[in-house]
Amino acid sequence: MPISNVRLAKGLATFLTHRARQAYDDPAGNIALRKSLHGYVWRSRGIICDLDQIIVINGSQQALDLCARVLVNPGDKVVLEDPCYAMARNVMIAVGATAVAVPCGDQGMDTALLPDVGEFALAYVTPSHQFPLGGVLSVGRRQALMEWARASGAYVVEDDYDGEYRYGVSPIPPLYQLGEGRVIYVGTVSKTLSPALRLGYMILPKALVGPFVHCKQFADRHTSTYEQEALASLLTTGAYERHVRRMRRANANRREVFLTAMAETFGDEIEIVGTSAGLHVVVWFNHLKAQEEDNLATRATENGVGIYPVSRLYSTATEPRAGFVFGYASMPTLSISTGVNHLGSFFRLGRN
Amino acid sequence: MPISNVRLAKGLATFLTHRARQAYDDPAGNIALRKSLHGYVWRSRGIICDLDQIIVINGSQQALDLCARVLVNPGDKVVLEDPCYAMARNVMIAVGATAVAVPCGDQGMDTALLPDVGEFALAYVTPSHQFPLGGVLSVGRRQALMEWARASGAYVVEDDYDGEYRYGVSPIPPLYQLGEGRVIYVGTVSKTLSPALRLGYMILPKALVGPFVHCKQFADRHTSTYEQEALASLLTTGAYERHVRRMRRANANRREVFLTAMAETFGDEIEIVGTSAGLHVVVWFNHLKAQEEDNLATRATENGVGIYPVSRLYSTATEPRAGFVFGYASMPTLSISTGVNHLGSFFRLGRN
């Protein structure tokens, strides 16, 4: 057994020695964690809310699933981004939603193309860093979206999955602040600590707290107290925010190295979008066809460079070029240039 | 910050230093944990299955929710025990199931009262220790249930929530062994480690693995790797089974002290059922009325003795006496007699 697992097992054993941990916790989340999140969302995102509006969930995926289960009935219409995070679309379709896809560009969702006002259950957006294209939703579009939502009786699900990462651009407050009880804010530690942790939180309009807590309890009683307490102690001591600052610097550095290597290797063969925030970019290859994406991505991944085809995230084929999502956050900085060079040879091979 | 939380935070920090933990894990569960569970279910419950039939979930509640989501369409009929674990009934009703309640006695579900063979999505049972009445489903009834399930095209969900705890009775193999691809086995560490952990596992018929893994991924991607690895190391080193044996002895002792104290305090005013297995019993109070249950339970809980009314777990009122679920596993052995004495005064007060 590796050393680290001894420590994990010891941590678990310590946890179990406390009698209070021999009972179910609050389905809305551990009170210590919710209190520390209450301070954190105010400091980091300017969000002011009541403590009971915050619920703890198993990462943003569970947030999306709960939204689908609580808010969407079969046949209900939902607005999604186009292209869209596949797992968001999946949970909506799974509950029988009719998806209306709204095109996104470098300023996020093009709100001029929102469907006519009507009955909609919700709109799902990633305003801090649109997934996958990386646009930041502009202030005007934020207002237009909220106006549309009010008129359509729709909730807006704001997935702030990597809102901690911004480079050389001033922070934009979350949509939640324009919300007037209409925005469901979703935060996660997947991009700051680890996606393997499965920890996130929602900030709900007051009217939705009851139904969401109920649904969360039906789904799995509550998120593990073991992890919730560990995160609470990271937040209480300030260790979490120090870690986020460190990660922000490290990822800004990785991003710089990555963009430089890409420019050197591919020059004007590529167009890169979504660089001002987040932990990934989309790279369009001007001379490669969209149909080649799957094949190239498979071969790149087999050779240790994980890239993901973009075309499949669109509701209909619109872009003739091949495009890939490049996530640079999990690459050691020193390996980035080597990885990109490696890719250069594959992609040239792909053109012959 | 208490010492224990320092250790929790350190455990988390150690976990995060490994690059492999900076990615999503397998939606079916961490491979190290599934391998160790594969050995554990064979040693502890005689279950032989393929590794890929085991999936890891967030405690048995998520297992029940996944069963409801994957197997039950609105209007489908499901068989439940009567009385029944409320959270099992809840998730079935939530997806639109029509519940058919089958009365249970001291040998578990009375299979002679199963509905006529027809189209049923599933039957939910707790054969090791019926919740709440504590009966152990007899061999004849197990066979009758499986015959009915085959004829009705129904899956049988076997919730083995406290199958580790048996006192002075020989172990009965799980229903799973009679299953022929029709039984979904649900195990949990809620009763051996802690309900606050939210860790459990399912053993699925091969044909159901794909749909369940898919649904689990939609629900929350996967169960936290952090906890899965900790449990895997407890299982691999044998620490888990040592702990279970220790718990079994400790709980046998608690049970003895509890039953003695109850007999001394209440004599023939009570009838206790479900004592041969598990971590709780149901106590019927011969001179108290079912209508008084809620009031008495509230007052007992306010005074530090957690008991739960039984009547609400029945589909229709059948028992005129007041009955309560007494869980003794979380009480310190030394406090049990005091607690029971305490209760004696309340309940006598209740009668006046």
Side-chain angles (χ1 to χ4, degrees):
Chain A
M1 185 169 59
I3 292 289
S4 63
N5 282 354
V6 173
R7 189 173 274 184
L8 281 190
K10 274 191 189 164
L12 184 58
T14 309
F15 173 82
L16 294 170
T17 55
H18 288 69
R19 191 163 298 275
R21 289 145 178 172
Q22 287 298 335
Y24 290 122
D25 207 331
D26 188 336
N30 182 268
I31 189 65
L33 177 56
R34 288 161 68 214
K35 279 182 181 165
S36 51
L37 285 170
H38 191 243
Y40 175 72
V41 296
W42 177 71
R43 291 191 302 276
S44 66
R45 303 299 273 128
I47 291 176
I48 294 171
C49 64
D50 289 350
L51 192 56
D52 66 6
Q53 289 178 263
I54 301 177
I55 73 167
V56 180
I57 36 88
N58 312 337
S60 53
Q61 185 61 35
Q62 186 170 53
L64 304 182
D65 192 42
L66 292 178
C67 286
R69 297 178 81 176
V70 174
L71 301 176
V72 184
N73 289 314
D76 280 1
K77 286 183 292 183
V78 304
V79 158
L80 301 177
E81 297 173 325
D82 193 14
C84 180
Y85 178 51
M87 289 294 283
R89 173 189 297 272
N90 289 346
V91 291
M92 297 302 159
I93 302 300
V95 296
T98 302
V100 179
V102 177
C104 294
D106 59 5
Q107 289 180 61
M109 179 183 274
D110 186 350
T111 48
L113 301 175
L114 275 165
D116 290 344
V117 163
E119 271 191 40
F120 285 84
L122 60 83
Y124 167 79
V125 287
T126 49
S128 292
H129 188 231
Q130 199 268 329
F131 189 88
L133 297 181
V136 179
L137 196 65
S138 64
V139 175
R141 290 184 174 191
R142 285 167 190 250
Q143 286 163 339
L145 174 62
M146 291 314 304
E147 205 164 301
W148 173 89
R150 267 191 298 280
S152 299
Y155 286 101
V156 176
V157 180
E158 174 177 29
D159 186 349
D160 202 26
Y161 68 101
D162 62 6
E164 290 84 0
Y165 298 102
R166 304 179 58 74
Y167 314 107
V169 287
S170 55
I172 293 188
L175 209 50
Y176 184 87
Q177 295 191 15
L178 301 173
E180 304 156 23
R182 199 161 281 289
V183 176
I184 295 166
Y185 178 90
V186 179
T188 175
V189 303
S190 285
K191 309 296 177 188
T192 52
L193 296 178
S194 163
L197 272 188
R198 314 313 307 135
L199 259 180
Y201 46 97
M202 305 178 79
I203 304 173
L204 294 163
K206 293 191 182 209
L208 293 182
V209 171
F212 271 80
V213 171
H214 208 67
C215 191
K216 166 67 182 169
Q217 191 177 25
F218 280 22
D220 58 9
R221 288 269 184 183
H222 61 77
T223 295
S224 165
T225 304
Y226 181 42
E227 282 185 77
Q228 290 194 73
E229 288 191 355
L231 178 58
S233 72
L234 291 185
L235 280 162
T236 312
T237 57
Y240 182 77
E241 274 148 290
R242 281 194 300 277
H243 175 77
V244 169
R245 282 195 294 274
R246 210 158 47 228
M247 285 297 102
R248 197 181 288 130
R249 282 194 300 272
N251 284 320
N253 188 30
R254 284 196 187 96
R255 167 182 163 279
E256 202 55 47
V257 172
F258 172 74
L259 294 178
T260 305
M262 288 297 282
E264 283 172 7
T265 306
F266 294 102
D268 60 4
E269 293 176 37
I270 56 170
E271 181 193 356
I272 304 188
V273 300
T275 59
S276 68
L279 301 174
H280 75 268
V281 294
V282 164
V283 183
W284 296 107
F285 288 80
N286 301 326
H287 308 299
L288 296 174
K289 294 196 178 64
Q291 296 88 312
E292 300 177 73
E293 281 180 2
D294 285 352
N295 183 28
L296 287 164
T298 306
R299 285 177 51 205
T301 304
E302 280 166 6
N303 285 274
V305 182
I307 60 175
Y308 305 92
V310 161
S311 291
R312 62 175 71 159
L313 303 178
Y314 281 87
S315 66
T316 49
T318 48
E319 179 64 53
R321 296 176 295 178
F324 300 92
V325 177
F326 280 73
Y328 48 82
S330 62
M331 295 167 83
T333 313
L334 293 172
S335 320
I336 291 178
S337 303
T338 326
V340 169
N341 281 336
H342 212 106
L343 209 66
S345 52
F346 279 108
F347 275 45
R348 295 227 169 67
L349 232 60
R351 285 167 58 194
N352 297 337
Chain B
M1 187 170 57
I3 292 289
S4 63
N5 282 355
V6 173
R7 190 173 275 185
L8 280 190
K10 274 191 188 163
L12 184 59
T14 309
F15 173 82
L16 294 170
T17 55
H18 288 70
R19 191 163 297 276
R21 287 142 178 174
Q22 287 298 334
Y24 290 121
D25 207 332
D26 187 335
N30 182 268
I31 189 65
L33 177 55
R34 288 161 69 213
K35 279 182 182 165
S36 51
L37 285 170
H38 191 243
Y40 175 72
V41 295
W42 177 70
R43 291 192 301 277
S44 67
R45 303 300 274 131
I47 292 176
I48 294 171
C49 64
D50 288 351
L51 191 56
D52 66 7
Q53 289 177 261
I54 301 177
I55 72 167
V56 180
I57 37 88
N58 312 337
S60 53
Q61 185 61 34
Q62 186 170 52
L64 303 182
D65 192 41
L66 292 178
C67 285
R69 297 178 81 177
V70 174
L71 300 176
V72 184
N73 289 314
D76 280 0
K77 286 184 291 182
V78 303
V79 158
L80 301 177
E81 296 173 325
D82 193 14
C84 181
Y85 178 50
M87 289 294 283
R89 173 190 297 269
N90 289 346
V91 291
M92 297 302 160
I93 302 300
V95 295
T98 302
V100 179
V102 177
C104 295
D106 58 6
Q107 290 181 61
M109 179 182 275
D110 186 350
T111 49
L113 301 175
L114 275 165
D116 289 344
V117 163
E119 272 193 38
F120 285 83
L122 61 83
Y124 167 79
V125 287
T126 50
S128 293
H129 188 231
Q130 199 269 329
F131 189 88
L133 298 181
V136 178
L137 196 65
S138 64
V139 174
R141 290 184 174 191
R142 285 167 190 249
Q143 286 164 337
L145 175 62
M146 290 316 302
E147 205 165 301
W148 173 89
R150 266 191 299 279
S152 298
Y155 286 101
V156 176
V157 181
E158 174 176 28
D159 186 349
D160 201 26
Y161 68 101
D162 62 5
E164 291 84 0
Y165 297 102
R166 304 180 58 74
Y167 315 107
V169 286
S170 55
I172 293 187
L175 209 50
Y176 184 87
Q177 295 191 16
L178 300 174
E180 305 156 22
R182 198 161 283 288
V183 176
I184 295 166
Y185 178 89
V186 179
T188 176
V189 304
S190 285
K191 310 295 177 190
T192 51
L193 296 178
S194 163
L197 271 189
R198 314 315 306 136
L199 258 181
Y201 46 97
M202 306 178 78
I203 305 174
L204 294 164
K206 293 190 182 207
L208 293 182
V209 171
F212 271 79
V213 171
H214 209 67
C215 191
K216 166 67 181 169
Q217 190 177 25
F218 280 22
D220 58 10
R221 288 268 184 183
H222 62 75
T223 296
S224 166
T225 304
Y226 181 43
E227 281 185 77
Q228 291 193 73
E229 288 190 355
L231 178 59
S233 72
L234 290 184
L235 280 162
T236 311
T237 57
Y240 182 76
E241 273 147 290
R242 282 195 299 277
H243 175 76
V244 170
R245 282 195 294 273
R246 209 158 48 229
M247 285 298 102
R248 196 181 288 129
R249 282 193 300 271
N251 284 320
N253 187 30
R254 284 195 187 96
R255 167 182 162 279
E256 202 54 48
V257 172
F258 172 73
L259 294 178
T260 306
M262 288 297 283
E264 283 172 6
T265 306
F266 294 103
D268 59 4
E269 293 176 36
I270 56 169
E271 181 195 356
I272 305 188
V273 299
T275 58
S276 67
L279 302 174
H280 76 267
V281 294
V282 164
V283 183
W284 295 107
F285 288 80
N286 301 326
H287 308 300
L288 296 174
K289 293 196 179 64
Q291 296 87 311
E292 301 177 73
E293 281 179 4
D294 284 352
N295 184 27
L296 287 164
T298 306
R299 286 176 51 205
T301 304
E302 281 166 6
N303 284 275
V305 182
I307 59 175
Y308 305 92
V310 161
S311 291
R312 63 174 70 156
L313 303 177
Y314 280 87
S315 67
T316 49
T318 48
E319 179 64 53
R321 296 176 295 178
F324 300 91
V325 177
F326 280 72
Y328 48 83
S330 63
M331 296 167 82
T333 313
L334 293 172
S335 322
I336 290 177
S337 303
T338 327
V340 170
N341 281 336
H342 213 108
L343 209 66
S345 52
F346 279 109
F347 275 46
R348 294 227 170 66
L349 231 61
R351 285 167 58 193
N352 298 338

